[in-house]
């Protein structure tokens, strides 16, 4: 039976850990089990403890102190060390077969846009451990509500999608932080926007770059990477339920579940003695 995993991706500070905790909380409320696999050697557990923690293998703080490296160089060293010790990850994952594993990834997007670290881990999970994976890419709603920033975020999401070669879901986090009515109206057009219209809106402000804007808009439009699902912490159960249903679909979670034996009370009528 194949396993199911979710990769929580996105820049630092977009709310990946909050998203992971929200999924765990929602799954517990509906009787399903999930575990957080922490792949950030600098992260601390918040609401839910990590079931598997890369810091049990190597921590960023130790690397920075012992190797005299900065945060980015230390992070790359940590992941190179993990790649050389993937048997540790195999052992830790063990027999988690019928439960979700949520991989909380670092916020340094260079690890999957410039350095082939996460793509290598993804292939290992798929080929060696038989995982069905889905990448969720988070962007902050307050950041996105601006045309130029939208294109910046969409291009970074596209880069992750192309390099990881996984089913991909874009999520706008921190919807609840948008308070004013103007921004709320603006937000609606970014959930399922037309990138060509967005590029046209920028022309009068940046005529020098209008052609470049159109080319970027065409690229985003061609890849169909412009749909986002909202994540509202104030309405967590509703938005998380919707996001989880999309993840279930792309990972074929229900199809991978083994059929269960009927309970005793579900016996057919002919098996019940009415005398």
């Amino acid at each position: 039976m194949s396993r199911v995993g979710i990769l929580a991706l996105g820049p630092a500070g977009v709310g990946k850990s909050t998203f992971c905790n929200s999924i765990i909380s929602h799954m517990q409320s509906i009787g399903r089990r999930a575990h957080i696999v922490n792949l950030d050697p600098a992260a601390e557990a918040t609401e839910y403890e990590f079931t598997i923690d890369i810091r049990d293998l190597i921590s960023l703080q130790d690397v920075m102190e012992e190797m005299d490296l900065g945060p980015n160089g230390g992070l790359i060293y940590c992941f190179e060390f993990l790649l050389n010790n993937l048997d540790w990850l195999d052992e830790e994952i063990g027999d988690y077969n019928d439960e979700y594993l949520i991989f909380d990834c670092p916020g340094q997007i260079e690890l999957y846009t410039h350095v082939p670290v996460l793509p290598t881990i993804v292939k290992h999970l798929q080929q060696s451990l038989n995982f069905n994976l889905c990448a969720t890419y988070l962007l902050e709603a307050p950041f996105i509500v601006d045309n130029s920033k939208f294109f910046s975020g969409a291009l970074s999401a596209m880069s992750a999608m192309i390099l990881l070669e996984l089913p991909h879901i874009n999520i706008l986090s921190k919807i609840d932080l948008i308070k004013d009515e103007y921004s709320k109206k603006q937000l609606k057009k970014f959930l399922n926007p037309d990138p060509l219209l967005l590029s046209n809106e920028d022309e009068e402000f940046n005529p020098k770059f209008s052609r470049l804007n159109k080319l970027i808009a065409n690229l985003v439009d061609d890849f169909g990477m412009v749909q986002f699902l909202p994540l509202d912490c104030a309405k967590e159960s509703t938005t998380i339920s919707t996001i989880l249903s999309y993840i279930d679909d792309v990972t074929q979670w229900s199809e991978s579940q083994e059929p269960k034996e009927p309970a005793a009370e579900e016996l057919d009528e002919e098996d019940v003695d009415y005398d």
Side-chain angles (χ1 to χ4, degrees):
M1 182 176 67
S2 63
R3 299 162 167 177
V4 172
I6 306 168
L7 297 179
L9 308 170
V14 296
K16 294 186 294 297
S17 295
T18 300
F19 171 63
C20 293
N21 288 327
S22 297
I23 290 183
I24 296 282
S25 176
H26 177 70
M27 283 189 169
Q28 288 183 351
S29 72
I30 60 176
R32 287 167 59 177
R33 299 187 64 186
H35 303 273
I36 298 178
V37 179
N38 176 43
L39 292 183
D40 186 348
E44 297 285 344
T46 53
E47 185 177 352
Y48 293 95
E49 292 296 323
F50 303 137
T51 300
I52 300 170
D53 190 352
I54 190 177
R55 294 175 305 162
D56 294 336
L57 175 70
I58 189 170
S59 76
L60 179 60
Q61 187 63 36
D62 291 343
V63 168
M64 290 172 61
E65 292 176 359
E66 295 178 18
M67 307 294 294
D68 196 24
L69 293 172
N72 290 333
L75 195 63
I76 291 175
Y77 181 92
C78 288
F79 272 90
E80 288 177 345
F81 188 82
L82 174 61
L83 292 181
N84 290 326
N85 294 274
L86 284 175
D87 55 332
W88 172 86
L89 185 62
D90 297 351
E91 220 171 280
E92 291 292 312
I93 290 177
D95 298 323
Y96 292 109
N97 289 321
D98 57 351
E99 300 164 8
Y100 263 75
L101 291 185
I102 305 165
F103 296 85
D104 191 2
C105 301
Q108 282 72 11
I109 60 175
E110 296 86 358
L111 291 171
Y112 40 93
T113 58
H114 294 76
V115 183
V117 170
L118 280 180
T120 302
I121 294 174
V122 163
K123 288 181 180 177
H124 179 76
L125 291 173
Q126 290 176 314
Q127 297 172 6
S128 299
L129 301 181
N130 197 30
F131 266 91
N132 279 341
L133 297 172
C134 172
T136 57
Y137 195 94
L138 279 72
L139 293 170
E140 288 185 71
F143 172 83
I144 280 294
V145 185
D146 177 273
N147 291 355
S148 59
K149 292 178 179 178
F150 163 78
F151 284 113
S152 172
L155 288 175
S156 67
M158 283 173 53
S159 177
M161 179 195 74
I162 293 168
L163 287 174
L164 294 178
E165 298 180 329
L166 289 175
H168 190 96
I169 296 173
N170 291 315
I171 297 170
L172 280 188
S173 63
K174 304 184 181 181
I175 296 285
D176 52 305
L177 296 184
I178 297 181
K179 304 294 186 181
D180 62 281
E181 289 303 317
Y182 174 77
S183 294
K184 287 181 179 179
K185 290 180 181 178
Q186 288 289 98
L187 178 64
K188 291 181 180 178
K189 72 178 183 181
F190 286 98
L191 290 174
N192 191 14
D194 185 336
L196 299 179
L197 290 179
L198 293 180
S199 69
N200 290 335
E201 290 181 8
D202 280 341
E203 281 188 30
E204 58 180 292
F205 301 106
N206 300 289
K208 182 178 178 182
F209 301 108
S210 61
R211 184 170 178 271
L212 176 61
N213 291 344
K214 287 181 180 178
L215 291 173
I216 293 175
N218 281 320
L219 180 66
V220 173
D221 191 48
D222 288 344
F223 273 86
M225 281 288 299
V226 292
Q227 292 81 26
F228 290 87
L229 297 177
L231 175 59
D232 185 347
C233 291
K235 301 175 181 177
E236 184 179 284
S237 61
T238 303
T239 55
I240 281 291
S241 176
T242 301
I243 292 170
L244 185 58
S245 69
Y246 275 80
I247 295 171
D248 284 345
D249 285 343
V250 298
T251 58
Q252 300 178 326
W253 177 81
S254 59
E255 296 179 17
S256 68
Q257 300 308 295
E258 294 181 351
K260 296 181 180 179
E261 292 294 330
E265 61 268 19
E266 295 175 353
L267 293 173
D268 293 333
E269 289 187 5
E270 58 266 28
D271 294 329
V272 179
D273 186 2
Y274 290 96
D275 294 334

